[in-house]
Amino acid sequence: MELRPIGIVHNEVRPPQKMTPFGVPSTVEILPQYEEALLHIEKHSHIWVLAWIDRGERDVLQVIPRSGNELRGVFAVRSPARPNPIGLTSARLLKREGLTLYLDKLDFLDGTVVLDIKPYFPVRDVHFA
Amino acid sequence: MELRPIGIVHNEVRPPQKMTPFGVPSTVEILPQYEEALLHIEKHSHIWVLAWIDRGERDVLQVIPRSGNELRGVFAVRSPARPNPIGLTSARLLKREGLTLYLDKLDFLDGTVVLDIKPYFPVRDVHFA
């Protein structure tokens, strides 16, 4: 199960401690060999971005989340620390220009490797408790 | 960027053509070495399941989706065919019993390798066009 980079995140935030919980305006630059995979992406108002959080500690199983003081399992939080450090964030797709996707906000740092782009489907993806 | 299995999907569906678009009742069996990572997972009504879709063709960049007749890039569909065949499905967490998570429905086949479990956060994950 080996992953291939398909793009890269660009924004103004490099040090992790400067990232805000809900992210910052960002672009995703898709690698040229994957241009065909973007066909009709602009029909979607929102997309999912999956990224490889290389600073995520893979051997930590419990953490105290930013917004609490109680220990939780890493499968019960969205922390980058997890056995497979795949980050998952949805964003509004503002526009596409060639290989570049303009997003309203992403909480991935500048230079983060992108693994996948998926369309957001409200019928699949919206839930309320 | 190498992935580690963290669990496995169990349900009644093995041949891909028998899977319904919105999935079937399923369990996810977490591997024993990741039990600690489940702490407090049951506080969440819904979770994300990320899985490795091993039958996904990695070198296909455009497909005609099930629900249409127009060619689309794989980043504009939720097809298993994509450079990194990571499936993303949300489900209601009905209960946890030890290492087993009971889910209302998943569209992954029986035996699929699970890569990650994340809590569903409406404030992050709900969007409407």
Side-chain angles (χ1 to χ4, degrees):
Chain A
M1 298 191 295
E2 197 152 339
L3 297 167
R4 306 171 183 171
I6 65 103
I8 194 154
V9 172
H10 295 295
N11 60 36
E12 305 275 297
V13 183
R14 209 164 258 275
Q17 60 277 17
K18 292 220 170 145
M19 181 51 74
T20 62
F22 288 94
V24 296
S26 301
T27 60
V28 170
E29 187 77 25
I30 301 294
L31 301 183
Q33 62 267 41
Y34 296 116
E35 180 163 17
E36 283 179 43
L38 290 171
L39 183 68
H40 294 318
I41 185 77
E42 64 282 354
K43 295 195 176 182
H44 298 280
S45 66
H46 293 79
I47 60 172
W48 291 105
V49 181
L50 281 71
W52 185 254
I53 311 299
D54 52 8
R55 71 196 164 91
E57 291 183 67
R58 304 187 68 170
D59 297 311
V60 169
L61 295 182
Q62 298 187 337
V63 296
I64 293 174
R66 189 151 49 175
S67 59
N69 51 16
E70 184 193 47
L71 205 61
R72 296 211 167 198
V74 295
F75 296 153
V77 297
R78 296 284 274 258
S79 157
R82 50 212 316 115
N84 293 303
I86 299 172
L88 173 69
T89 299
S90 49
R92 180 177 286 277
L93 177 58
L94 302 172
K95 65 174 170 173
R96 173 191 168 190
E97 277 179 3
L99 291 163
T100 307
L101 306 176
Y102 290 79
L103 304 174
D104 66 340
K105 45 190 195 237
L106 275 187
D107 58 351
F108 301 130
L109 304 177
D110 185 49
T112 299
V113 168
V114 175
L115 301 174
D116 200 7
I117 300 286
K118 298 181 191 290
Y120 186 97
F121 287 144
V123 69
R124 278 184 67 110
D125 298 336
V126 170
H127 299 284
F128 295 99
Chain B
M1 298 191 293
E2 197 152 339
L3 297 168
R4 306 171 183 172
I6 65 105
I8 193 154
V9 172
H10 295 296
N11 61 36
E12 304 276 298
V13 184
R14 207 165 259 273
Q17 59 277 16
K18 293 221 170 144
M19 181 51 75
T20 62
F22 288 95
V24 296
S26 301
T27 60
V28 170
E29 187 77 25
I30 300 294
L31 301 182
Q33 62 267 40
Y34 296 116
E35 181 164 15
E36 282 179 43
L38 290 171
L39 184 69
H40 293 321
I41 186 77
E42 64 281 353
K43 295 195 176 182
H44 297 280
S45 66
H46 292 79
I47 59 173
W48 290 107
V49 181
L50 281 71
W52 186 255
I53 311 300
D54 52 7
R55 70 195 164 92
E57 290 184 68
R58 303 188 68 169
D59 297 311
V60 168
L61 295 182
Q62 298 187 336
V63 295
I64 295 174
R66 192 151 46 175
S67 59
N69 51 16
E70 184 193 48
L71 205 61
R72 296 210 169 200
V74 295
F75 297 153
V77 297
R78 296 283 274 259
S79 159
R82 51 211 318 114
N84 293 303
I86 300 172
L88 173 68
T89 298
S90 49
R92 180 177 288 275
L93 177 58
L94 302 172
K95 64 174 172 175
R96 172 191 169 191
E97 276 179 5
L99 291 163
T100 307
L101 305 176
Y102 290 79
L103 303 174
D104 65 341
K105 45 190 195 234
L106 275 186
D107 57 351
F108 301 130
L109 303 177
D110 185 49
T112 299
V113 168
V114 176
L115 301 173
D116 200 7
I117 300 287
K118 298 181 191 289
Y120 187 97
F121 287 145
V123 68
R124 278 184 66 110
D125 298 335
V126 170
H127 299 285
F128 295 98

